[in-house]
Amino acid sequence: MICYKCGSVLGSGRLCLRCGADVSVYKKIVRLSNGYYNAGLEKARVRDLTGAAEALNRSLQFDKKNTQARNLLGLVYYEMGEIVEALSQWVISKNLQPKNNPADGYLERVQGEKADLERMNQAVKKFNQALDNARHDSEDLAVIQLRGVIGQHPRYLKAYQLLSLLYIHQGEYSKANRILKRALQIDKGNTYCQKYQREIRGKLSKPIKQVSYQEQQMAQQAAEDVIVPTYRERPRVLQLLLGLVTGVVVCGCAYIFLIAPTQARETSNRWNQTAITYNEQIEERDSEISTLNSTVSQLQSEMETMQNQMDQFTGENGTITNYDRLLEAVNYYQNSDWANLATSFASVQPEQVDSAAFGTIYNFLQDFINSGGIVDNIFQSGMDLFDNSQFPEARAVFESCLELDPQYDAAIYYIGLCYEASGDDTTAATYFQRIVDEFPQSEYYQRAYSRVS
């Protein structure tokens, strides 16, 4: 275990042997974090992904620098089909531990499988369309789209959950049960799927066959037709033949009017049920064929735009790039490097990332920069470079001041001095003239005026 203050290896005592800091509470926090990590690891091994995600998030609440828990949480999210959440965890882990981090391999693997990443991205878009159709009473279309989503992204649990809900709403409990079983094979601890299964469990039992009133009346009449003899006499040949014929006729009538109709109805019901099952299977196959044909027709156009869409994740302005820029800005903030903070923060494009955690950090830095004090700190760092005759570097810092406050007259004046010191008198004159034209009350007015007059 490493000391949080000086970074040295801790012993068994409550104090750090190097810096003397009290690490007793810190040790308890790290042990709690590791305990939740071990619990999450055990749940992940038995495919209880929901329980594993809860335990690992709890572990990170105690120790956000626990890269083992963060990497495992990314793998759990990836297995559940949440690719963006998985990438977020691995990027944060990579910045917390730049060396010897398995997250590097995970990110390289995802970036190397561009076709799979694009397929998952398309599946998420189709899921959103299906969700919108389900909300607007287009359930049949939503069912078809969700089948296509599961075909493209077989681990996307949200698609399984929504498809099972639609089947339940339509009364297709057997289909809903099959979908829920497939989802629970991915995540055995998914509470939503378990809840849906409990809801439909009683509706899957076979109904008790009801005997119709007509069948009851016919059976009663047949029973009444049986003649019970009141006396016995010596049988004769003619009476035996007549009795035999009568018995055959009664049995034939009973078969024709009682047994045969029932058997015919049962046979018809079996054939009807078989036909319904085959029709459902044919409809499923037709839907899958239609989805595959649609996928084939769109494949060529999707291949042409795949690289542009991949840039959303790995390009110059992609999600991962913007995470790196924001973390770089946070590092400059922690080190009080105001000039680089402003430059790095200006390169972040928040609209490219859809994450609540990303937005919270971005808004915090934006509020800090907009408060105004940072401009003076940046200007002072530029003055240090100017005093050391590092004019190009100082000019870049002064320009950062103007990006934050376009009316910062001191930065305008010293940018002109930097150009003048670099031998570019023409460009320098434009900045001195701006002081003369726009800032007549500035303390730099007379000095700028003397340079342009």
Side-chain angles (χ1 to χ4, degrees), residues 119 133 192 196 211 222 227 240 266 295 324 358 360 368 446:
R119 177 172 49 79
N133 289 329
Y192 289 104
Y196 300 157
V211 180
I227 301 174
L240 289 174
E266 291 179 351
T295 302
D324 289 339
F358 183 94
T360 300
F368 174 75
Q446 290 297 333

Side-chain angles (χ1 to χ4, degrees), residues 91-389:
V91 169
I92 295 173
S93 174
K94 176 184 174 182
N95 284 274
L96 291 174
Q97 183 184 334
K99 296 181 180 179
N100 299 324
N101 193 333
D104 291 331
Y106 303 150
L107 291 172
E108 290 177 0
R109 180 178 178 183
V110 172
Q111 293 173 4
E113 297 175 352
K114 295 182 179 180
D116 290 341
L117 191 61
E118 173 59 21
R119 177 172 49 79
M120 295 178 187
N121 186 34
Q122 292 296 325
V124 172
K125 291 181 180 179
K126 288 184 179 179
F127 171 79
N128 293 330
Q129 293 175 357
L131 180 61
D132 185 66
N133 289 329
R135 288 173 175 170
H136 293 86
D137 298 329
S138 298
E139 294 185 1
D140 293 336
L141 180 58
V143 167
I144 294 174
Q145 290 174 329
L146 288 171
R147 288 174 179 171
V149 170
I150 293 175
Q152 286 183 304
H153 195 355
R155 294 194 304 270
Y156 197 24
L157 281 174
K158 289 182 179 179
Y160 287 97
Q161 293 170 354
L162 180 56
L163 182 57
S164 64
L165 279 177
L166 291 176
Y167 278 143
I168 292 172
H169 187 261
Q170 295 174 354
E172 301 286 351
Y173 302 117
S174 297
K175 293 182 179 179
N177 189 45
R178 289 198 299 269
I179 292 298
L180 291 172
K181 286 182 178 179
R182 290 175 61 186
L184 289 173
Q185 289 176 353
I186 299 173
D187 180 10
K188 294 182 179 179
N190 191 282
T191 54
Y192 289 104
C193 293
Q194 293 174 353
K195 177 181 177 182
Y196 300 157
Q197 268 199 332
R198 287 194 298 270
E199 290 292 331
I200 66 175
R201 188 169 296 160
K203 299 176 182 180
L204 291 173
S205 59
K206 295 182 179 179
I208 299 174
K209 182 179 179 181
Q210 300 292 332
V211 180
S212 66
Y213 176 75
Q214 183 179 2
E215 291 176 342
Q216 292 178 358
Q217 290 296 104
M218 294 177 68
Q220 182 177 359
Q221 182 179 358
E224 292 176 352
D225 288 341
V226 178
I227 301 174
V228 181
T230 57
Y231 65 95
R232 297 180 61 187
E233 65 177 16
R234 184 174 297 175
R236 299 178 181 177
V237 176
L238 183 60
Q239 290 177 342
L240 289 174
L241 291 175
L242 182 60
L244 180 60
V245 172
T246 303
V248 171
V249 171
V250 171
C251 292
C253 292
Y255 178 81
I256 294 172
F257 294 105
L258 294 178
I259 301 175
T262 303
Q263 290 180 342
R265 281 194 296 271
E266 291 179 351
T267 303
S268 177
N269 289 336
R270 286 197 300 269
W271 280 108
N272 290 336
Q273 187 61 40
T274 303
I276 291 173
T277 303
Y278 284 143
N279 287 334
E280 290 177 351
Q281 294 177 354
I282 291 172
E283 290 178 358
E284 291 182 0
R285 296 297 180 271
D286 290 342
S287 176
E288 293 176 359
I289 292 172
S290 177
T291 302
L292 291 175
N293 289 335
S294 176
T295 302
V296 170
S297 64
Q298 295 175 0
L299 186 59
Q300 185 61 39
S301 60
E302 290 176 357
M303 287 295 294
E304 295 176 356
T305 58
M306 184 177 296
Q307 185 60 45
N308 293 332
Q309 292 173 344
M310 279 298 301
D311 289 342
Q312 296 177 1
F313 293 96
T314 59
E316 183 178 354
N317 295 320
T319 301
I320 297 176
T321 303
N322 279 283
Y323 268 112
D324 289 339
R325 292 171 178 172
L326 183 65
L327 290 171
E328 184 182 35
V330 171
N331 185 51
Y332 288 138
Y333 170 79
Q334 292 177 340
N335 295 327
S336 300
D337 190 347
W338 313 117
N340 287 326
L341 168 60
T343 303
S344 179
F345 184 78
S347 65
V348 179
Q349 298 184 3
E351 67 277 1
Q352 300 294 331
V353 182
D354 184 13
S355 172
F358 183 94
T360 300
I361 298 174
Y362 180 85
N363 292 333
F364 171 78
L365 293 178
Q366 188 177 44
D367 293 340
F368 174 75
I369 291 174
N370 292 338
S371 63
I374 189 175
V375 180
D376 295 332
N377 291 327
I378 294 175
F379 178 78
Q380 186 58 48
S381 63
M383 288 300 299
D384 294 339
L385 295 171
F386 184 86
D387 293 339
N388 291 326
S389 300

Side-chain angles (χ1 to χ4, degrees), residues 380-446:
Q380 186 58 48
S381 63
M383 288 300 299
D384 294 339
L385 295 171
F386 184 86
D387 293 339
N388 291 326
S389 300
Q390 298 179 9
F391 301 115
E393 293 82 358
R395 186 179 73 245
V397 174
F398 294 141
E399 289 173 348
S400 299
C401 293
L402 289 184
E403 291 178 0
L404 298 174
D405 185 2
Q407 303 299 318
Y408 204 84
D409 56 340
I412 297 173
Y413 177 75
Y414 275 95
I415 289 174
L417 288 182
C418 289
Y419 276 114
E420 186 180 70
S422 300
D424 191 351
D425 295 334
T426 302
T427 306
T430 59
Y431 284 91
F432 296 141
Q433 188 63 45
R434 183 177 173 184
I435 293 291
V436 174
D437 295 339
E438 299 179 14
F439 304 96
Q441 303 298 326
S442 173
E443 61 177 301
Y444 302 101
Y445 177 82
Q446 290 297 333

